[in-house]
């Protein structure tokens, strides 16, 4: 098995606002979404959402790669924000304290690839040493791409059923660290690729 040290081969060359410049020359615009509550939509609502996605994405430049990522983490509820003075408040506080729940976060990434062929080694392997010549400046192509993505996101947000906000640099760093660390908290760990599953610290993953 080939091993790679992510700290030595970071896939991110630079971050400006919500824009990632990857080591392979790709430019990625990052957004985090707020989606409707589960079971809160009717059949027509779903049709309207589908129409909003279709209209928003069809105007993007040819070759744009769109990656929607949903992360579900099982966590224990912390009732620190709940009031805890009256009898009912204390009962509610104790009822929810430590209860397991599923945290859901949604991310949307728009990728402008340096090479249009998706099977290009420069596209599939971002883990290589940073070459200063490969990091593109905000040239006209990138500016047009940013404008097109902004228009698409604005169209989605105007549907009033979904909201996608730019992911700031700190959020991108936290997501990257959490993703490659298996969302373990408090320590860094290795990723062990077994035959049947992936073991990252105390968490197990499969596909």
């Amino acid at each position: 098995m080939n091993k790679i040290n992510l700290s030595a081969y970071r896939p991110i060359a630079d971050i400006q606002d919500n824009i990632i410049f990857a080591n392979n020359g790709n430019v990625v615009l990052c957004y985090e979404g707020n989606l409707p509550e589960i079971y809160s939509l009717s059949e027509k609502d779903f049709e309207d959402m589908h129409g909003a996605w279709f209209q928003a994405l069809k105007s993007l430049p040819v070759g744009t790669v769109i990656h929607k990522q949903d992360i579900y983490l099982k966590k224990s509820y912390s009732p620190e924000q709940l009031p805890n003075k009256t009898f009912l408040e204390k009962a509610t506080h104790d009822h929810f304290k430590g209860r397991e729940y599923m945290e859901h976060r949604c991310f949307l990434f728009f990728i402008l690839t340096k090479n249009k062929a998706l099977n290009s080694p420069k596209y599939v392997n971002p883990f290589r040493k940073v070459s200063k010549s490969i990091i593109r400046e905000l040239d006209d192509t990138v500016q047009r791409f940013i404008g097109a993505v902004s228009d698409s996101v604005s169209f989605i947000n105007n549907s009033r059923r979904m909201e996608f906000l730019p992911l700031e640099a700190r959020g991108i760093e936290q997501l990257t660290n959490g993703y490659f660390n298996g969302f373990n908290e408090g320590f860094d760990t290795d990723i062990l690729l077994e035959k049947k599953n992936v073991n990252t610290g105390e968490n197990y993953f499969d596909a």
Side-chain angles (χ1 to χ4, degrees):
M1 179 182 70
N2 294 329
K3 295 184 178 181
I4 189 166
N5 185 347
L6 290 180
S7 62
Y9 294 89
R10 280 177 49 82
I12 297 175
D14 188 25
I15 301 176
Q16 298 178 18
D17 298 323
N18 69 320
I19 306 170
I20 293 176
F21 294 88
N23 287 358
N24 54 8
N26 294 342
V27 177
V28 186
L29 270 68
C30 311
Y31 294 85
E32 182 169 5
N34 296 314
L35 303 183
E37 288 288 339
I38 188 171
Y39 306 128
S40 67
L41 299 180
S42 66
E43 183 176 352
K44 184 180 183 306
D45 291 331
F46 278 111
E47 291 178 356
D48 292 342
M49 283 180 62
H50 174 77
W53 280 108
F54 180 80
Q55 293 295 330
L57 302 183
K58 74 175 185 179
S59 61
L60 289 171
V62 175
T64 301
V65 177
I66 304 165
H67 175 58
K68 180 176 178 289
Q69 183 179 56
D70 292 274
I71 299 175
Y72 297 88
L73 297 176
K74 187 181 291 185
K75 292 191 172 184
S76 296
Y77 183 76
S78 175
E80 294 178 358
Q81 302 298 325
L82 296 178
N84 189 20
K85 295 180 179 179
T86 67
F87 174 79
L88 287 178
E89 289 175 349
K90 290 180 179 179
T92 302
H93 180 279
D94 294 340
H95 175 77
F96 287 104
K97 183 178 181 180
R99 278 185 174 259
E100 284 191 344
Y101 73 100
M102 196 69 71
E103 179 188 77
H104 171 225
R105 298 182 70 188
C106 174
F107 298 95
L108 193 60
F109 304 97
F110 298 87
I111 306 168
L112 175 65
T113 58
K114 185 171 191 290
N115 297 324
K116 298 305 180 184
L118 298 186
N119 59 353
S120 167
K122 292 183 180 180
Y123 177 78
V124 299
N125 181 24
F127 302 105
R128 37 180 226 161
K129 289 186 177 180
V130 181
S131 173
K132 292 183 179 180
S133 61
I134 206 170
I135 303 174
R136 296 184 294 181
E137 297 295 333
L138 290 175
D139 55 18
D140 291 340
T141 303
V142 178
Q143 291 285 13
R144 286 195 300 270
F145 175 72
I146 293 172
V149 170
S150 297
D151 292 342
S152 294
V153 173
S154 296
F155 191 92
I156 294 174
N157 290 342
N158 287 336
S159 70
R160 298 185 180 181
R161 289 181 173 86
M162 301 169 287
E163 182 182 29
F164 285 89
L165 301 174
L167 192 62
E168 296 179 352
R170 179 177 176 82
I172 294 172
E173 293 282 2
Q174 290 175 342
L175 176 62
T176 304
N177 182 71
Y179 186 84
F180 287 112
N181 202 39
F183 297 100
N184 292 280
E185 297 181 356
F187 60 91
D188 294 330
T189 184
D190 291 334
I191 299 175
L192 304 178
L193 303 178
E194 307 293 347
K195 290 184 178 180
K196 294 184 179 180
N197 60 270
V198 179
N199 179 207
T200 311
E202 299 176 347
N203 298 330
Y204 289 85
F205 301 82
D206 60 13

